[in-house]
Amino acid sequence: MVPQITLSRQGPQVSRIVHGLWRLGEWNMGEAQTVGLIHSCLEQGITTFDHADIYGGYTCEGLFGSALAQSGVDRSKIQLVTKCGIKLVSKNRPDHRIKSYDTTRAHIVASAENSLRCLRTDYIDLLLIHRPDPLIDPRQVNEAFVALKESGKVRHFGVSNFLPSQFELLASKLDVPLATNQIEYSVMNLNGQADGSIELCQKLEIRPMAWSPLGGGKLFYEASEQVQRLREALQNIGRDLGGASVDQVAIAWILKHPAQFVPVLGTGNRGRIRSAVAALDIELSAEQWFEIRRASLGQDIA
Ligand SMILES: NC(=O)c1ccc[n+]([C@@H]2O[C@H](COP(=O)([O-])OP(=O)(O)OC[C@H]3O[C@@H](n4cnc5c(N)ncnc54)[C@H](OP(=O)(O)O)[C@@H]3O)[C@@H](O)[C@H]2O)c1
């Protein structure tokens, strides 16, 4: 059973493993199957679902919201995460001429209110600014966050893909705390270690969320030298662990980090979700962790 964890001292409480809905539109599920997926996650203790306004060309929140409404799930037993700030060129947003960012007060509030309608809920547990916007005005973000908090529409706030300097600038101008930074982190992508993002989370005692924890699937199909080295290392360690699979060892590698990453799974396959959850029972040794790191980078530590 997936335990709960608090992202920051002020909350929110989320499941230690989160389910991500970016690819929901690609899974070609009917509503009944999506309801089944939600129940399957809950049965395993995955109570937190990660969205963004733009997923599926602005369609995934609505697909999930319809299923959630049918599911009979008690809203207070789940947590909904969503994001805003990217404007995609899409038939569903005919006024967007080019891809751009928008972190103005008006856009953040309008996007959150639209997410509420699509998700068919009256509050969002955690709203993230999806990517750092070079035109970000922290005062505008603060006004939006405070208005959304005071109206009860959003309970907690955070960011995604922010470098430490971007995180600290925004945090320094806000009247509400940032609960997380959702960054890409996996055996295939160690950037968060190099750019200081993980250390900043540890310093602030907030848990980072890890997106694409299996490299977006590349771990299973890519033919690069990095992936070949990784697959071999993950398979060997899995064998030493008594038969753990590549996905389980890769997720266990993320979970071992003392920053207490919260991985966001991207599969719609119930068996694969169950397999990933079993990674919680794997305790890698430090040597195994470094062996996987070496396979990822193609070189030993200094
Ligand atoms: N904040 C951000 O900027 C950002 C960016 C990207 C993603 N995200 C979030 O992170 C979530 C996860 O990202 P992701 O989808 O890239 O995660 P991922 O788990 O790294 O990759 C998912 C892909 O891997 C495949 N896969 C998973 N397990 C597999 C296995 N055992 N064998 C073979 N293929 C397997 C899945 O295919 P099947 O579905 O066929 O299993 C799917 O295509 C997203 O849903 C979204 O919520 C956030």
Side-chain angles (χ1 to χ4, degrees):
M1 203 62 178
V2 178
Q4 298 274 303
I5 190 169
T6 311
L7 285 180
S8 77
R9 249 175 284 163
Q10 293 89 353
Q13 192 163 303
V14 298
S15 47
R16 181 72 206 276
I17 291 179
V18 166
H19 189 254
L21 280 305
W22 173 29
R23 300 174 194 269
L24 175 58
E26 297 167 24
W27 297 332
N28 292 318
M29 288 182 179
E31 191 163 281
Q33 275 177 292
T34 310
V35 170
L37 179 67
I38 294 171
H39 282 296
S40 173
C41 285
L42 292 177
E43 279 156 22
Q44 296 172 71
I46 298 178
T47 60
T48 309
F49 298 92
D50 184 76
H51 294 269
D53 56 342
I54 58 171
Y55 288 170
Y58 300 94
T59 62
C60 290
E61 286 182 324
L63 292 171
F64 183 91
S66 302
L68 184 63
Q70 291 300 314
S71 69
V73 167
D74 180 347
R75 173 66 182 89
S76 69
K77 300 281 190 270
I78 64 165
Q79 301 81 40
L80 297 176
V81 181
T82 195
K83 315 183 192 80
C84 64
I86 301 177
K87 283 181 163 174
L88 288 187
V89 176
S90 162
K91 67 175 176 5
N92 293 317
R93 293 293 185 277
D95 54 321
H96 296 176
R97 201 172 47 81
I98 61 161
K99 190 175 180 186
S100 65
Y101 297 138
D102 189 343
T103 49
T104 57
R105 174 193 167 130
H107 179 73
I108 293 170
V109 171
S111 183
E113 287 176 344
N114 191 55
S115 292
L116 288 173
R117 279 189 293 275
C118 293
L119 292 166
R120 306 225 204 158
T121 184
D122 50 9
Y123 67 92
I124 293 162
D125 293 274
L126 177 62
L127 178 69
L128 309 179
I129 302 292
H130 205 151
R131 288 198 173 265
D133 171 5
L135 294 178
I136 197 165
D137 178 347
R139 292 165 301 187
Q140 294 247 347
V141 178
N142 190 48
E143 285 178 24
F145 282 5
V146 169
L148 289 166
K149 175 108 185 159
E150 285 179 350
S151 61
K153 291 175 180 170
V154 178
R155 296 192 171 172
H156 299 276
F157 301 89
V159 293
S160 182
N161 305 302
F162 273 46
L163 292 170
S165 55
Q166 295 160 338
F167 187 105
E168 287 185 309
L169 167 65
L170 182 60
S172 72
K173 305 290 182 195
L174 293 181
D175 294 316
V176 294
L178 292 175
T180 193
N181 189 7
Q182 187 179 116
I183 60 174
E184 182 175 10
Y185 189 64
S186 71
V187 295
M188 293 188 64
N189 186 318
L190 280 57
N191 290 343
Q193 201 84 60
D195 66 24
S197 301
I198 303 175
E199 282 88 345
L200 180 63
C201 288
Q202 289 179 282
K203 180 177 158 192
L204 300 175
E205 295 182 24
I206 64 174
R207 318 268 109 66
M209 299 173 79
W211 61 261
S212 289
L214 297 171
K218 290 198 289 278
L219 195 52
F220 305 98
Y221 63 75
E222 201 177 78
S224 67
E225 285 182 14
Q226 182 202 32
V227 166
Q228 285 175 27
R229 284 194 307 268
L230 275 168
R231 272 204 297 261
E232 192 183 339
L234 294 165
Q235 279 164 358
N236 288 342
I237 291 169
R239 209 172 301 124
D240 292 345
L241 290 165
S245 53
V246 164
D247 56 315
Q248 289 169 340
V249 181
I251 302 279
W253 185 87
I254 296 172
L255 293 170
K256 183 169 177 70
H257 198 288
Q260 294 184 291
F261 270 98
V262 174
V264 186
L265 303 181
T267 177
N269 179 310
R270 294 193 212 182
R272 288 177 179 168
I273 295 172
R274 197 163 294 113
S275 172
V277 165
L280 285 162
D281 298 323
I282 297 174
E283 180 65 51
L284 295 181
S285 69
E287 282 200 353
Q288 288 169 328
W289 191 90
F290 277 101
E291 197 176 331
I292 293 166
R293 182 187 184 279
R294 179 178 65 181
S296 178
L297 298 177
Q299 61 186 42
D300 244 320
I301 52 161

